[in-house]
Amino acid sequence: MKDIKFNWGLVGHGNIQKYLQTAIVNLHPSHAYVFYGPGKVGKTFLAKNIAQTVLCDEYRKMGSLDSAVKVNPAELPCGRCDACRQFAKGMHPDLYTVEREVSEKTGKKKSVIAVGQIRDLLEKISQRAFLNSYKVVIIPEAQALSQEASNCLLKTLEEPAPRTIIFLITTNKNLLLPTILSRSQLFKFLPVPSDAVYEYLVAEGAGRDEARELARISRGRPTIAKHFLKDKVRFEEYKNNVQGVLKVLVNRPLERLKEIEKMFAEDKGGDVALKNLDFLAGLVRDALLCKLGKTELLANYFLTTELADLGARAPSGWFCGFLRRVENARAMIQGNVNPRLVMENLFLE
Ligand SMILES: [Zn+2]
């Protein structure tokens, strides 16, 4: 059983993968996992891969007590069985993904996952599994669970249903109830080393220069690098957006305020603000690197001249302080403080 090949395709996070693979091989995955750490490093991607693995027919046969059925699979998930095929189409009936719903009024995602959604979920998972013995729940933005929704979910974690695995994924575990954390197995994810992202991109067919640029700009977040490799238009858009934020940052205060009002007036859930905070963190980090003469490490290499100018505007201490304020702003927005106010405060400091 030791030599199962896991077809997960996850970049980095070797120790976490090994730990979870052992639990799977021993037929003993936990009933609840919290994956936390920076966005786009592969947390949800890993949860989906584990889901497909435990739902795969080969895994069901591996756990069978009937020796006529029992197999030791060579690889997991197999990618060929009915369950794997349904999974690939996003139609596996025993996989439940719970996300913020889109508001009919605004056409945008609501700011929280409502208690009704969790009640529906619990109702569904209390019934027998359709195809396999496992049921898997993935909640990619667990920090968006409302207080009521969290409490409702807590009840299942206190009395776990057999053969149900719940993945709670978040960029900020402090926004989850302590009682939820204490009933789950926690895994902390870190950014992936840039070399690993580079090698992955080259293996996926990227040219060396392209791979180097994408590895740099994704700052240890393979999911971003993967998207940009496939979608050049989005990559150009991303560059334009980063450039836009830089312009706002170096603008005069009054102009800055006007820009911010325009950018975040409609941003009720804070999605736009969070994205821009990410650009901002990258830019300020780069400005700091310019000051230190480490331009070869810049994420936004295409803006080297502008970033050197930005770096010359203030002492290093100011940039470090600003990075901390960006992190605070992120936490405030995730804690449902009005995004426009948070961004105004940040940009006017
Ligand atoms: Zn399969």
Side-chain angles (χ1 to χ4, degrees):
M1 260 201 260
K2 270 180 201 150
D3 295 330
I4 297 174
K5 177 174 170 261
F6 283 87
N7 297 321
W8 287 359
L10 180 72
V11 185
H13 314 298
N15 290 338
I16 295 177
Q17 294 199 61
K18 224 173 272 167
Y19 188 95
L20 291 165
Q21 286 167 359
T22 306
I24 286 168
V25 169
N26 293 332
L27 303 170
H28 201 65
S30 169
H31 66 282
Y33 292 103
V34 170
F35 288 177
Y36 67 99
K40 314 282 183 200
V41 294
K43 302 185 297 298
T44 305
F45 184 78
L46 177 59
K48 283 183 188 163
N49 274 286
I50 297 172
Q52 189 182 348
T53 300
V54 300
L55 294 172
C56 173
D57 287 345
E58 294 289 298
Y59 190 60
R60 181 173 51 80
K61 289 185 207 157
M62 181 179 153
S64 174
L65 297 174
D66 180 349
S67 60
V69 175
K70 196 173 175 70
V71 292
N72 288 333
E75 50 180 350
L76 282 173
C78 76
R80 291 178 299 270
C81 69
D82 285 348
C84 281
R85 280 205 207 110
Q86 277 188 304
F87 193 97
K89 284 187 216 149
M91 286 168 54
H92 197 293
D94 294 318
L95 173 71
Y96 303 89
T97 306
V98 185
E99 292 179 291
R100 290 182 285 149
E101 286 173 338
V102 173
S103 155
E104 279 175 27
K105 261 191 245 157
T106 63
K108 289 184 183 147
K109 276 191 181 179
K110 293 178 183 171
S111 61
V112 296
I113 296 171
V115 65
Q117 290 178 262
I118 298 299
R119 280 201 198 107
D120 286 349
L121 170 77
L122 298 187
E123 168 74 33
K124 282 182 205 147
I125 61 173
S126 69
Q127 288 152 15
R128 217 167 150 265
F130 283 93
L131 296 183
N132 185 298
S133 45
Y134 272 97
K135 277 170 284 188
V136 183
V137 177
I138 300 179
I139 307 183
E141 296 174 303
Q143 73 275 359
L145 286 162
S146 73
Q147 184 79 25
E148 257 186 305
S150 297
N151 282 320
C152 188
L153 190 65
L154 183 60
K155 280 178 219 144
T156 359
L157 297 181
E158 283 167 343
E159 294 164 38
R163 292 181 168 259
T164 299
I165 307 177
I166 300 178
F167 290 96
L168 296 159
I169 294 157
T170 182
T171 48
N172 186 349
K173 81 171 160 62
N174 298 329
L175 294 172
L176 304 190
L177 290 183
T179 38
I180 285 189
L181 297 178
S182 69
R183 282 167 181 81
S184 310
Q185 204 168 63
L186 272 60
F187 287 92
K188 180 182 183 176
F189 286 66
L190 296 171
V192 174
S194 164
D195 292 352
V197 179
Y198 170 80
E199 267 153 38
Y200 163 81
L201 292 167
V202 171
E204 287 293 297
R208 291 188 183 277
D209 286 343
E210 186 185 24
R212 214 166 288 133
E213 185 182 25
L214 289 175
R216 234 186 222 141
I217 213 158
S218 59
R219 283 182 284 136
R221 294 166 301 173
T223 307
I224 292 184
K226 283 184 204 177
H227 282 161
F228 288 164
L229 180 64
K230 281 191 211 132
D231 191 342
K232 301 284 182 288
V233 176
R234 246 178 87 183
F235 185 36
E236 287 309 312
E237 261 173 33
Y238 173 88
K239 285 184 176 174
N240 286 336
N241 288 337
V242 172
Q243 211 158 3
V245 173
L246 180 61
K247 261 189 207 150
V248 176
L249 191 62
V250 298
N251 226 331
R252 285 196 301 274
L254 198 64
E255 303 300 316
R256 237 182 284 163
L257 200 60
K258 276 188 208 154
E259 285 286 335
I260 290 162
E261 257 197 61
K262 221 168 41 190
M263 283 165 87
F264 305 110
E266 298 295 317
D267 186 26
K268 296 284 179 280
D271 295 326
V272 182
L274 288 173
K275 210 178 263 178
N276 280 283
L277 283 175
D278 190 56
F279 299 156
L280 206 53
L283 288 167
V284 173
R285 170 190 166 278
D286 279 353
L288 200 52
L289 286 169
C290 280
K291 284 189 88 67
L292 300 171
K294 307 228 177 222
T295 46
E296 75 280 6
L297 296 176
L298 293 184
N300 300 294
Y301 201 69
F302 68 104
L303 293 172
T304 303
T305 318
E306 292 88 337
L307 287 164
D309 287 347
L310 178 64
R313 284 174 166 230
S316 301
W318 185 88
F319 288 105
C320 294
F322 193 79
L323 276 178
R324 275 195 297 276
R325 289 202 291 278
V326 169
E327 285 317 307
N328 286 341
R330 205 195 301 269
M332 278 197 267
I333 290 169
Q334 286 177 330
N336 280 330
V337 181
N338 180 314
R340 188 171 57 90
L341 292 181
V342 174
M343 296 305 273
E344 273 178 13
N345 270 323
L346 181 70
F347 271 94
L348 289 179
E349 270 175 59

